[in-house]
């Protein structure tokens, strides 16, 4: 199981722009890279993905530029654990690539939003409504976000309302 971090709102929110380096790629797309053999080998070694048994055209992979990508916010249209916590129609998954720079960048992003929202941190696959902690977010700064989300640890499901 994994921790899921989400934004939910009654209004459509701005997603983070995708750079060229964060586009979804297939195994066939990876062939254009000079280090293709290493990438394919790493799929099996590090992720347990057998390239021979995978659809070579299915877009599953992202190559990240460590200097450029801190997080992404993408619309989540699948029914999942988060839908058992909130009834908001617009749900966005927050994917974090760099915890050291996350809070500063994410605070700036949240300050740019012009609609009320909820920030969720839940354990995927488990619904713990009785343990849910609700926090009112009066300020959207690094300290408030770090207090809400912590440093990638999970105690109880939490929602920050702004």
């Amino acid at each position: 199981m994994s921790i899921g971090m989400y934004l939910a709102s009654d209004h459509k929110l701005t997603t983070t722009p995708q750079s060229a380096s964060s586009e979804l790629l297939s195994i066939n797309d990876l062939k254009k890279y000079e280090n293709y053999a290493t990438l394919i080998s790493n799929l099996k070694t590090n992720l347990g993905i057998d390239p021979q048994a995978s659809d070579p055209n299915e877009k599953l992979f992202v190559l990240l530029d460590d200097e450029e990508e801190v997080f992404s916010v993408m619309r989540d249209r699948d029914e999942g654990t988060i839908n058992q916590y909130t009834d908001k129609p617009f749900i966005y998954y927050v994917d974090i690539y760099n915890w050291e720079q996350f809070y500063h960048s994410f605070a700036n992003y949240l300050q740019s939003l012009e609609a009320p929202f909820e920030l969720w941190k839940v354990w995927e696959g488990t619904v713990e409504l009785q343990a849910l902690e609700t926090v009112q977010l009066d300020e959207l700064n690094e300290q408030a976000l770090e207090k809400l989300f912590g440093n990638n640890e999970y105690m109880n499901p939490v929602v920050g309302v702004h």
Side-chain angles (χ1 to χ4, degrees):
M1 287 196 215
S2 62
I3 296 171
M5 297 176 69
Y6 297 91
L7 255 167
S9 180
D10 287 319
H11 308 277
K12 192 171 185 177
L13 302 176
T14 305
T15 57
T16 51
Q18 295 239 340
S19 68
S21 66
S22 65
E23 70 179 293
L24 285 174
L25 303 170
S26 68
I27 290 175
N28 283 340
D29 293 332
L30 295 176
K31 289 179 180 178
K32 68 183 177 184
Y33 292 96
E34 192 173 300
N35 61 342
Y36 168 73
T38 302
L39 291 171
I40 294 299
S41 173
N42 286 342
L43 289 176
K44 187 155 186 133
T45 305
N46 298 333
L47 300 175
I49 296 173
D50 181 2
Q52 301 299 325
S54 301
D55 178 352
N57 294 311
E58 188 174 5
K59 298 197 178 281
L60 297 172
F61 310 100
V62 176
L63 299 178
L64 299 174
D65 179 346
D66 291 340
E67 300 299 317
E68 186 178 323
E69 304 289 338
V70 175
F71 71 94
S72 67
V73 174
M74 298 303 297
R75 179 88 183 267
D76 186 354
R77 298 178 193 270
D78 297 332
E79 289 287 321
T81 303
I82 188 64
N83 298 95
Q84 296 177 49
Y85 282 103
T86 184
D87 61 355
K88 301 293 185 196
F90 297 98
I91 297 176
Y92 302 84
Y93 183 75
V94 179
D95 205 356
I96 302 166
Y97 309 127
N98 182 333
W99 275 100
E100 291 177 15
Q101 297 176 15
F102 171 66
Y103 291 115
H104 174 74
S105 298
F106 195 55
N108 288 339
Y109 165 75
L110 293 174
Q111 291 168 12
S112 73
L113 299 178
E114 297 178 5
F117 57 84
E118 300 170 340
L119 292 173
W120 288 89
K121 182 177 180 180
V122 299
W123 192 253
E124 298 289 3
T126 303
V127 179
E128 303 170 294
L129 293 174
Q130 72 285 354
L132 178 63
E133 179 183 347
T134 302
V135 176
Q136 181 64 41
L137 291 173
D138 297 321
E139 295 185 43
L140 296 174
N141 57 36
E142 293 176 55
Q143 294 78 21
L145 294 175
E146 189 167 358
K147 185 176 179 183
L148 178 71
F149 285 141
N151 288 317
N152 202 20
E153 73 271 358
Y154 182 87
M155 299 298 279
N156 292 311
V158 64
V159 59
V161 180
H162 181 76

